Amino acid sequence: MDFIDNLVAKRFGDLSFFSTSSRLYKFEKIKKVTNETRIRRPDITLIDMGVGEPDKGADKVLCDILNIESRRPENRFYADNGILEFQEAACKYLKKMYNLTGITVDNVMHGIGSKSILAMLPLAFINPGDVCLMTVPGYPILGTYSKFCGGEVYNLPLCPENDFFPNLDSIPEDILKRAKLLYLNYPNNPTGQVASKAFYEYVINFAKKNNIFIVSDLAYGPLVYDGYKPLSIMSIDGSMDVCVELHSLSKAFNMTGWRLAFIVGSKKMIKLFSTVKGHTDSGQFRAIQKAGAYALENPQLINENCERYSRRFNMLVEALREVGFNAKKPKSGFYVYVPIPIGVKNGVRFNDAEEASLYILSNALISTVPWDDCGSFLRFSTTFEANTIEDELYIINELKDRLTSLNLEF
Ligand SMILES: Cc1ncc(COP(=O)(O)O)c(C=O)c1O
């Protein structure tokens, strides 16, 4: 223990949080094996199917707005809890995209990305000993910050046997009594599952019965394929009392680095959130919010992403199926989530997804993300780098050839 270690807050326990946690370790290992393989095999290029963000930048029209608005003196101030124009645009977007009626500017508030909204919500709810129910595998931020607040995380595995929905009936009584927050993320990262109206009704009843507040993360909401209509939990009767929902501009509008999202909920909830937020940040740059407002008023900008991902899903799923993976095109999102092969014909066996992923990486220079929370799965992303349809086809054919040459056994 040195000078700084002695001063670090107790919430970080034995300080292992600052070294290689298992989640970070997974990505560290992937990075290391990628670098080693690149040196060993300079003849082949990396096929990166592990990326979790769009391969394209924001539309030119949004960049032009940012350019113009960033020069306007009236935009230079702290934005605090946001600009009205963005909130009004969010209301229109919710009507257009999810058919949500009756939403006013009092029901929405911007955030510097969904990640920072997820980080702030536990501050408003979690006391030491309270429980945050988190679906796993998944995006961990709400749970991480619940722990920072002295709370506990209870994991709800998303297993193929349950169609990648949490089994809320399995939660022990003691946990239910202490649970305050439930995190949901549909369309789901990484499983690709989408929620039905019936599922949302069931969860809202559960939340009311057990006094649990739902945080629904719709980061991938508008990326939909083959006629599937995006669904918001806020469209379900009674949701306003027990839910908030997060909408991100990162994936839908390719604005990941711009850091812009919004939360929708009851007037009371938004006031609560705005108070915590007001003490935490001073709002996103107004010029970014203005570009964001334009984006939300023009959701047709998302269509190009949907077309590109849909086309890539068709190619990727077909290629993976030909190799032997049990791959299905999801209705939404940008991930294909497949069970791992058991090993290589007459060769190695994979004990878990991490082993399978690292084997594929070091022998075929194809990067995937492994998940071992409930069963062993690999996540392939349709956001791989490719400029033209010809490039996409080339990459998918190359992926198929490399995977075929591995002689994987399923
Ligand atoms: C499920 C989920 N929620 C939220 C985020 C972060 O979104 P934002 O860029 O708005 O912070 C991600 C990013 O990968 C995600 O996968």
Side-chain angles (χ1 to χ4, degrees), residues 52 112-116 118 138-139 183 185 187-189 217 219-220 247-251 255-256 259-261 335 379:
I112 304 179
S114 320
K115 186 173 187 175
S116 86
L118 288 165
Y139 195 66
Y183 175 76
N185 163 230
N188 184 255
N189 169 17
D217 178 352
Y220 298 85
H247 295 259
S248 173
L249 279 77
S250 292
K251 323 272 170 171
M255 290 171 75
T256 39
R259 311 311 301 132
L260 193 57
Y335 304 116
R379 192 190 79 182

PDB file of all heavy atoms in Angstrom, residues 52 112-116 118 138-139 183 185 187-189 217 219-220 247-251 255-256 259-261 335 379, ligand 1:
ATOM      1  N   GLY A  52     -17.893  -2.218 -31.239  1.00  0.00           N
ATOM      2  CA  GLY A  52     -19.213  -1.940 -30.655  1.00  0.00           C
ATOM      3  C   GLY A  52     -19.720  -0.555 -30.988  1.00  0.00           C
ATOM      4  O   GLY A  52     -20.503   0.011 -30.241  1.00  0.00           O
ATOM      5  N   ILE A 112     -25.008  13.532 -21.258  1.00  0.00           N
ATOM      6  CA  ILE A 112     -23.768  13.463 -22.056  1.00  0.00           C
ATOM      7  C   ILE A 112     -23.506  11.986 -22.378  1.00  0.00           C
ATOM      8  O   ILE A 112     -22.573  11.367 -21.874  1.00  0.00           O
ATOM      9  CB  ILE A 112     -22.611  14.153 -21.296  1.00  0.00           C
ATOM     10  CG1 ILE A 112     -23.037  15.600 -20.965  1.00  0.00           C
ATOM     11  CG2 ILE A 112     -21.336  14.161 -22.124  1.00  0.00           C
ATOM     12  CD1 ILE A 112     -22.005  16.410 -20.199  1.00  0.00           C
ATOM     13  N   GLY A 113     -24.404  11.426 -23.186  1.00  0.00           N
ATOM     14  CA  GLY A 113     -24.388   9.999 -23.500  1.00  0.00           C
ATOM     15  C   GLY A 113     -25.208   9.217 -22.484  1.00  0.00           C
ATOM     16  O   GLY A 113     -25.396   9.649 -21.346  1.00  0.00           O
ATOM     17  N   SER A 114     -25.716   8.050 -22.911  1.00  0.00           N
ATOM     18  CA  SER A 114     -26.487   7.207 -21.978  1.00  0.00           C
ATOM     19  C   SER A 114     -25.598   6.735 -20.843  1.00  0.00           C
ATOM     20  O   SER A 114     -26.066   6.491 -19.737  1.00  0.00           O
ATOM     21  CB  SER A 114     -27.023   5.948 -22.650  1.00  0.00           C
ATOM     22  OG  SER A 114     -27.470   6.175 -23.912  1.00  0.00           O
ATOM     23  N   LYS A 115     -24.315   6.562 -21.145  1.00  0.00           N
ATOM     24  CA  LYS A 115     -23.404   6.032 -20.129  1.00  0.00           C
ATOM     25  C   LYS A 115     -23.426   6.935 -18.899  1.00  0.00           C
ATOM     26  O   LYS A 115     -23.525   6.458 -17.762  1.00  0.00           O
ATOM     27  CB  LYS A 115     -21.995   5.938 -20.702  1.00  0.00           C
ATOM     28  CG  LYS A 115     -21.007   5.263 -19.790  1.00  0.00           C
ATOM     29  CD  LYS A 115     -19.680   5.061 -20.487  1.00  0.00           C
ATOM     30  CE  LYS A 115     -18.742   4.236 -19.645  1.00  0.00           C
ATOM     31  NZ  LYS A 115     -17.498   3.926 -20.356  1.00  0.00           N
ATOM     32  N   SER A 116     -23.366   8.249 -19.123  1.00  0.00           N
ATOM     33  CA  SER A 116     -23.315   9.129 -17.952  1.00  0.00           C
ATOM     34  C   SER A 116     -24.681   9.202 -17.268  1.00  0.00           C
ATOM     35  O   SER A 116     -24.761   9.376 -16.050  1.00  0.00           O
ATOM     36  CB  SER A 116     -22.736  10.493 -18.318  1.00  0.00           C
ATOM     37  OG  SER A 116     -23.711  11.343 -18.787  1.00  0.00           O
ATOM     38  N   LEU A 118     -26.686   6.605 -17.011  1.00  0.00           N
ATOM     39  CA  LEU A 118     -26.703   5.357 -16.233  1.00  0.00           C
ATOM     40  C   LEU A 118     -25.845   5.479 -14.973  1.00  0.00           C
ATOM     41  O   LEU A 118     -26.139   4.885 -13.934  1.00  0.00           O
ATOM     42  CB  LEU A 118     -26.199   4.190 -17.092  1.00  0.00           C
ATOM     43  CG  LEU A 118     -27.153   3.724 -18.204  1.00  0.00           C
ATOM     44  CD1 LEU A 118     -26.432   2.841 -19.215  1.00  0.00           C
ATOM     45  CD2 LEU A 118     -28.344   2.970 -17.596  1.00  0.00           C
ATOM     46  N   GLY A 138     -24.205  -7.984 -20.424  1.00  0.00           N
ATOM     47  CA  GLY A 138     -24.802  -6.698 -20.724  1.00  0.00           C
ATOM     48  C   GLY A 138     -23.911  -5.533 -20.402  1.00  0.00           C
ATOM     49  O   GLY A 138     -22.758  -5.695 -19.999  1.00  0.00           O
ATOM     50  N   TYR A 139     -24.479  -4.370 -20.566  1.00  0.00           N
ATOM     51  CA  TYR A 139     -23.753  -3.106 -20.370  1.00  0.00           C
ATOM     52  C   TYR A 139     -23.792  -2.785 -18.873  1.00  0.00           C
ATOM     53  O   TYR A 139     -24.862  -2.560 -18.317  1.00  0.00           O
ATOM     54  CB  TYR A 139     -24.455  -2.032 -21.196  1.00  0.00           C
ATOM     55  CG  TYR A 139     -23.642  -0.779 -21.391  1.00  0.00           C
ATOM     56  CD1 TYR A 139     -22.462  -0.795 -22.129  1.00  0.00           C
ATOM     57  CD2 TYR A 139     -24.062   0.430 -20.851  1.00  0.00           C
ATOM     58  CE1 TYR A 139     -21.715   0.362 -22.313  1.00  0.00           C
ATOM     59  CE2 TYR A 139     -23.326   1.586 -21.043  1.00  0.00           C
ATOM     60  CZ  TYR A 139     -22.154   1.545 -21.772  1.00  0.00           C
ATOM     61  OH  TYR A 139     -21.415   2.682 -21.947  1.00  0.00           O
ATOM     62  N   TYR A 183     -32.383  -3.078 -14.420  1.00  0.00           N
ATOM     63  CA  TYR A 183     -31.878  -2.621 -15.721  1.00  0.00           C
ATOM     64  C   TYR A 183     -32.368  -3.559 -16.813  1.00  0.00           C
ATOM     65  O   TYR A 183     -32.212  -4.776 -16.723  1.00  0.00           O
ATOM     66  CB  TYR A 183     -30.345  -2.625 -15.689  1.00  0.00           C
ATOM     67  CG  TYR A 183     -29.690  -2.291 -17.020  1.00  0.00           C
ATOM     68  CD1 TYR A 183     -29.654  -0.980 -17.487  1.00  0.00           C
ATOM     69  CD2 TYR A 183     -29.103  -3.284 -17.803  1.00  0.00           C
ATOM     70  CE1 TYR A 183     -29.046  -0.662 -18.696  1.00  0.00           C
ATOM     71  CE2 TYR A 183     -28.484  -2.977 -19.016  1.00  0.00           C
ATOM     72  CZ  TYR A 183     -28.468  -1.661 -19.453  1.00  0.00           C
ATOM     73  OH  TYR A 183     -27.860  -1.348 -20.648  1.00  0.00           O
ATOM     74  N   ASN A 185     -32.351  -3.918 -21.212  1.00  0.00           N
ATOM     75  CA  ASN A 185     -31.782  -3.376 -22.447  1.00  0.00           C
ATOM     76  C   ASN A 185     -32.270  -4.227 -23.623  1.00  0.00           C
ATOM     77  O   ASN A 185     -31.721  -5.269 -23.920  1.00  0.00           O
ATOM     78  CB  ASN A 185     -30.243  -3.374 -22.347  1.00  0.00           C
ATOM     79  CG  ASN A 185     -29.565  -3.220 -23.695  1.00  0.00           C
ATOM     80  OD1 ASN A 185     -28.661  -3.985 -24.052  1.00  0.00           O
ATOM     81  ND2 ASN A 185     -29.986  -2.257 -24.472  1.00  0.00           N
ATOM     82  N   PRO A 187     -33.696  -3.461 -27.682  1.00  0.00           N
ATOM     83  CA  PRO A 187     -32.890  -4.507 -28.287  1.00  0.00           C
ATOM     84  C   PRO A 187     -31.586  -4.687 -27.507  1.00  0.00           C
ATOM     85  O   PRO A 187     -30.936  -3.711 -27.157  1.00  0.00           O
ATOM     86  CB  PRO A 187     -32.609  -3.975 -29.698  1.00  0.00           C
ATOM     87  CG  PRO A 187     -33.685  -2.966 -29.955  1.00  0.00           C
ATOM     88  CD  PRO A 187     -34.038  -2.401 -28.639  1.00  0.00           C
ATOM     89  N   ASN A 188     -31.274  -5.970 -27.263  1.00  0.00           N
ATOM     90  CA  ASN A 188     -30.233  -6.288 -26.301  1.00  0.00           C
ATOM     91  C   ASN A 188     -28.837  -6.396 -26.918  1.00  0.00           C
ATOM     92  O   ASN A 188     -28.649  -6.997 -27.970  1.00  0.00           O
ATOM     93  CB  ASN A 188     -30.610  -7.615 -25.612  1.00  0.00           C
ATOM     94  CG  ASN A 188     -29.634  -7.988 -24.530  1.00  0.00           C
ATOM     95  OD1 ASN A 188     -28.811  -8.870 -24.696  1.00  0.00           O
ATOM     96  ND2 ASN A 188     -29.707  -7.288 -23.412  1.00  0.00           N
ATOM     97  N   ASN A 189     -27.917  -5.786 -26.209  1.00  0.00           N
ATOM     98  CA  ASN A 189     -26.496  -5.997 -26.476  1.00  0.00           C
ATOM     99  C   ASN A 189     -25.991  -6.945 -25.393  1.00  0.00           C
ATOM    100  O   ASN A 189     -26.092  -6.588 -24.221  1.00  0.00           O
ATOM    101  CB  ASN A 189     -25.734  -4.669 -26.391  1.00  0.00           C
ATOM    102  CG  ASN A 189     -24.220  -4.855 -26.400  1.00  0.00           C
ATOM    103  OD1 ASN A 189     -23.718  -5.906 -26.774  1.00  0.00           O
ATOM    104  ND2 ASN A 189     -23.493  -3.829 -25.966  1.00  0.00           N
ATOM    105  N   ASP A 217     -32.904   0.714 -21.294  1.00  0.00           N
ATOM    106  CA  ASP A 217     -31.848   1.302 -22.126  1.00  0.00           C
ATOM    107  C   ASP A 217     -32.118   0.949 -23.587  1.00  0.00           C
ATOM    108  O   ASP A 217     -31.993  -0.205 -23.994  1.00  0.00           O
ATOM    109  CB  ASP A 217     -30.502   0.732 -21.642  1.00  0.00           C
ATOM    110  CG  ASP A 217     -29.321   1.220 -22.450  1.00  0.00           C
ATOM    111  OD1 ASP A 217     -29.520   1.884 -23.479  1.00  0.00           O
ATOM    112  OD2 ASP A 217     -28.186   0.909 -22.054  1.00  0.00           O
ATOM    113  N   ALA A 219     -30.557   1.969 -26.337  1.00  0.00           N
ATOM    114  CA  ALA A 219     -29.429   2.466 -27.145  1.00  0.00           C
ATOM    115  C   ALA A 219     -29.523   2.044 -28.616  1.00  0.00           C
ATOM    116  O   ALA A 219     -29.099   2.766 -29.504  1.00  0.00           O
ATOM    117  CB  ALA A 219     -28.111   1.993 -26.545  1.00  0.00           C
ATOM    118  N   TYR A 220     -30.074   0.828 -28.842  1.00  0.00           N
ATOM    119  CA  TYR A 220     -30.108   0.308 -30.216  1.00  0.00           C
ATOM    120  C   TYR A 220     -31.508   0.387 -30.826  1.00  0.00           C
ATOM    121  O   TYR A 220     -31.741  -0.146 -31.909  1.00  0.00           O
ATOM    122  CB  TYR A 220     -29.628  -1.157 -30.239  1.00  0.00           C
ATOM    123  CG  TYR A 220     -28.202  -1.301 -29.763  1.00  0.00           C
ATOM    124  CD1 TYR A 220     -27.894  -1.406 -28.399  1.00  0.00           C
ATOM    125  CD2 TYR A 220     -27.142  -1.289 -30.663  1.00  0.00           C
ATOM    126  CE1 TYR A 220     -26.590  -1.495 -27.956  1.00  0.00           C
ATOM    127  CE2 TYR A 220     -25.833  -1.393 -30.230  1.00  0.00           C
ATOM    128  CZ  TYR A 220     -25.562  -1.494 -28.879  1.00  0.00           C
ATOM    129  OH  TYR A 220     -24.263  -1.583 -28.458  1.00  0.00           O
ATOM    130  N   HIS A 247     -32.481   7.060 -24.427  1.00  0.00           N
ATOM    131  CA  HIS A 247     -32.332   7.078 -25.882  1.00  0.00           C
ATOM    132  C   HIS A 247     -30.994   7.710 -26.224  1.00  0.00           C
ATOM    133  O   HIS A 247     -30.717   8.827 -25.785  1.00  0.00           O
ATOM    134  CB  HIS A 247     -33.469   7.870 -26.528  1.00  0.00           C
ATOM    135  CG  HIS A 247     -34.794   7.225 -26.325  1.00  0.00           C
ATOM    136  ND1 HIS A 247     -35.409   6.469 -27.301  1.00  0.00           N
ATOM    137  CD2 HIS A 247     -35.611   7.191 -25.245  1.00  0.00           C
ATOM    138  CE1 HIS A 247     -36.554   6.004 -26.824  1.00  0.00           C
ATOM    139  NE2 HIS A 247     -36.702   6.423 -25.582  1.00  0.00           N
ATOM    140  N   SER A 248     -30.201   6.996 -27.004  1.00  0.00           N
ATOM    141  CA  SER A 248     -28.862   7.478 -27.336  1.00  0.00           C
ATOM    142  C   SER A 248     -28.801   7.903 -28.800  1.00  0.00           C
ATOM    143  O   SER A 248     -29.442   7.281 -29.651  1.00  0.00           O
ATOM    144  CB  SER A 248     -27.859   6.359 -27.099  1.00  0.00           C
ATOM    145  OG  SER A 248     -26.597   6.744 -27.566  1.00  0.00           O
ATOM    146  N   LEU A 249     -28.019   8.926 -29.072  1.00  0.00           N
ATOM    147  CA  LEU A 249     -27.808   9.304 -30.481  1.00  0.00           C
ATOM    148  C   LEU A 249     -26.551   8.628 -31.039  1.00  0.00           C
ATOM    149  O   LEU A 249     -26.226   8.764 -32.205  1.00  0.00           O
ATOM    150  CB  LEU A 249     -27.702  10.833 -30.628  1.00  0.00           C
ATOM    151  CG  LEU A 249     -29.055  11.553 -30.643  1.00  0.00           C
ATOM    152  CD1 LEU A 249     -29.650  11.666 -29.250  1.00  0.00           C
ATOM    153  CD2 LEU A 249     -28.963  12.927 -31.281  1.00  0.00           C
ATOM    154  N   SER A 250     -25.857   7.881 -30.169  1.00  0.00           N
ATOM    155  CA  SER A 250     -24.570   7.288 -30.558  1.00  0.00           C
ATOM    156  C   SER A 250     -24.683   6.311 -31.716  1.00  0.00           C
ATOM    157  O   SER A 250     -23.975   6.415 -32.706  1.00  0.00           O
ATOM    158  CB  SER A 250     -23.960   6.548 -29.377  1.00  0.00           C
ATOM    159  OG  SER A 250     -23.579   7.439 -28.378  1.00  0.00           O
ATOM    160  N   LYS A 251     -25.563   5.322 -31.556  1.00  0.00           N
ATOM    161  CA  LYS A 251     -25.617   4.248 -32.555  1.00  0.00           C
ATOM    162  C   LYS A 251     -26.561   4.623 -33.685  1.00  0.00           C
ATOM    163  O   LYS A 251     -26.262   4.384 -34.850  1.00  0.00           O
ATOM    164  CB  LYS A 251     -26.092   2.933 -31.917  1.00  0.00           C
ATOM    165  CG  LYS A 251     -25.605   2.688 -30.514  1.00  0.00           C
ATOM    166  CD  LYS A 251     -24.277   1.989 -30.442  1.00  0.00           C
ATOM    167  CE  LYS A 251     -23.770   2.010 -29.018  1.00  0.00           C
ATOM    168  NZ  LYS A 251     -22.630   1.220 -28.736  1.00  0.00           N
ATOM    169  N   MET A 255     -23.231   9.078 -33.747  1.00  0.00           N
ATOM    170  CA  MET A 255     -22.689  10.225 -33.002  1.00  0.00           C
ATOM    171  C   MET A 255     -21.997   9.772 -31.715  1.00  0.00           C
ATOM    172  O   MET A 255     -22.056  10.463 -30.695  1.00  0.00           O
ATOM    173  CB  MET A 255     -23.828  11.215 -32.691  1.00  0.00           C
ATOM    174  CG  MET A 255     -24.353  11.929 -33.935  1.00  0.00           C
ATOM    175  SD  MET A 255     -25.840  12.899 -33.626  1.00  0.00           S
ATOM    176  CE  MET A 255     -25.203  14.309 -32.757  1.00  0.00           C
ATOM    177  N   THR A 256     -21.337   8.609 -31.771  1.00  0.00           N
ATOM    178  CA  THR A 256     -20.767   8.042 -30.531  1.00  0.00           C
ATOM    179  C   THR A 256     -19.861   9.025 -29.777  1.00  0.00           C
ATOM    180  O   THR A 256     -20.043   9.241 -28.590  1.00  0.00           O
ATOM    181  CB  THR A 256     -19.966   6.743 -30.808  1.00  0.00           C
ATOM    182  OG1 THR A 256     -19.251   6.900 -32.010  1.00  0.00           O
ATOM    183  CG2 THR A 256     -20.858   5.549 -30.927  1.00  0.00           C
ATOM    184  N   ARG A 259     -21.246  12.431 -27.767  1.00  0.00           N
ATOM    185  CA  ARG A 259     -21.790  12.264 -26.418  1.00  0.00           C
ATOM    186  C   ARG A 259     -23.133  12.982 -26.238  1.00  0.00           C
ATOM    187  O   ARG A 259     -23.207  14.078 -25.688  1.00  0.00           O
ATOM    188  CB  ARG A 259     -20.786  12.722 -25.329  1.00  0.00           C
ATOM    189  CG  ARG A 259     -19.385  12.192 -25.455  1.00  0.00           C
ATOM    190  CD  ARG A 259     -19.308  10.683 -25.669  1.00  0.00           C
ATOM    191  NE  ARG A 259     -19.915   9.940 -24.594  1.00  0.00           N
ATOM    192  CZ  ARG A 259     -20.789   8.940 -24.804  1.00  0.00           C
ATOM    193  NH1 ARG A 259     -21.154   8.576 -26.027  1.00  0.00           N
ATOM    194  NH2 ARG A 259     -21.297   8.307 -23.787  1.00  0.00           N
ATOM    195  N   LEU A 260     -24.165  12.350 -26.734  1.00  0.00           N
ATOM    196  CA  LEU A 260     -25.493  12.936 -26.590  1.00  0.00           C
ATOM    197  C   LEU A 260     -26.553  11.836 -26.492  1.00  0.00           C
ATOM    198  O   LEU A 260     -26.555  10.882 -27.281  1.00  0.00           O
ATOM    199  CB  LEU A 260     -25.788  13.866 -27.778  1.00  0.00           C
ATOM    200  CG  LEU A 260     -26.989  14.786 -27.638  1.00  0.00           C
ATOM    201  CD1 LEU A 260     -26.885  15.683 -26.399  1.00  0.00           C
ATOM    202  CD2 LEU A 260     -27.137  15.670 -28.891  1.00  0.00           C
ATOM    203  N   ALA A 261     -27.416  11.985 -25.486  1.00  0.00           N
ATOM    204  CA  ALA A 261     -28.506  11.038 -25.269  1.00  0.00           C
ATOM    205  C   ALA A 261     -29.599  11.796 -24.526  1.00  0.00           C
ATOM    206  O   ALA A 261     -29.418  12.972 -24.173  1.00  0.00           O
ATOM    207  CB  ALA A 261     -28.014   9.862 -24.426  1.00  0.00           C
ATOM    208  N   TYR A 335     -25.615  -6.779 -33.654  1.00  0.00           N
ATOM    209  CA  TYR A 335     -24.794  -7.927 -33.275  1.00  0.00           C
ATOM    210  C   TYR A 335     -25.425  -9.273 -33.650  1.00  0.00           C
ATOM    211  O   TYR A 335     -26.634  -9.442 -33.554  1.00  0.00           O
ATOM    212  CB  TYR A 335     -24.585  -7.937 -31.763  1.00  0.00           C
ATOM    213  CG  TYR A 335     -23.975  -6.666 -31.230  1.00  0.00           C
ATOM    214  CD1 TYR A 335     -24.688  -5.854 -30.346  1.00  0.00           C
ATOM    215  CD2 TYR A 335     -22.696  -6.269 -31.607  1.00  0.00           C
ATOM    216  CE1 TYR A 335     -24.133  -4.685 -29.844  1.00  0.00           C
ATOM    217  CE2 TYR A 335     -22.138  -5.099 -31.111  1.00  0.00           C
ATOM    218  CZ  TYR A 335     -22.858  -4.302 -30.229  1.00  0.00           C
ATOM    219  OH  TYR A 335     -22.310  -3.148 -29.747  1.00  0.00           O
ATOM    220  N   ARG A 379     -19.771 -12.826 -30.059  1.00  0.00           N
ATOM    221  CA  ARG A 379     -20.522 -11.720 -30.672  1.00  0.00           C
ATOM    222  C   ARG A 379     -19.775 -11.212 -31.901  1.00  0.00           C
ATOM    223  O   ARG A 379     -18.623 -10.821 -31.804  1.00  0.00           O
ATOM    224  CB  ARG A 379     -20.699 -10.595 -29.653  1.00  0.00           C
ATOM    225  CG  ARG A 379     -21.691  -9.541 -30.076  1.00  0.00           C
ATOM    226  CD  ARG A 379     -21.633  -8.347 -29.145  1.00  0.00           C
ATOM    227  NE  ARG A 379     -20.501  -7.486 -29.472  1.00  0.00           N
ATOM    228  CZ  ARG A 379     -20.182  -6.371 -28.797  1.00  0.00           C
ATOM    229  NH1 ARG A 379     -20.894  -6.009 -27.748  1.00  0.00           N
ATOM    230  NH2 ARG A 379     -19.157  -5.644 -29.163  1.00  0.00           N
TER     231      ARG A 379
HETATM  232  C1  LIG B   1     -26.549  -1.256 -24.178  1.00  0.00           C
HETATM  233  C2  LIG B   1     -25.756  -0.007 -24.261  1.00  0.00           C
HETATM  234  N1  LIG B   1     -26.172   1.075 -23.588  1.00  0.00           N
HETATM  235  C3  LIG B   1     -25.488   2.229 -23.638  1.00  0.00           C
HETATM  236  C4  LIG B   1     -24.322   2.321 -24.360  1.00  0.00           C
HETATM  237  C5  LIG B   1     -23.588   3.624 -24.359  1.00  0.00           C
HETATM  238  O1  LIG B   1     -24.293   4.570 -25.097  1.00  0.00           O
HETATM  239  P1  LIG B   1     -23.834   6.088 -25.122  1.00  0.00           P
HETATM  240  O2  LIG B   1     -22.860   6.217 -26.235  1.00  0.00           O
HETATM  241  O3  LIG B   1     -25.100   6.862 -25.349  1.00  0.00           O
HETATM  242  O4  LIG B   1     -23.214   6.404 -23.805  1.00  0.00           O
HETATM  243  C6  LIG B   1     -23.842   1.212 -25.060  1.00  0.00           C
HETATM  244  C7  LIG B   1     -22.582   1.301 -25.821  1.00  0.00           C
HETATM  245  O5  LIG B   1     -22.031   0.356 -26.288  1.00  0.00           O
HETATM  246  C8  LIG B   1     -24.582   0.031 -25.018  1.00  0.00           C
HETATM  247  O6  LIG B   1     -24.188  -1.062 -25.670  1.00  0.00           O
END
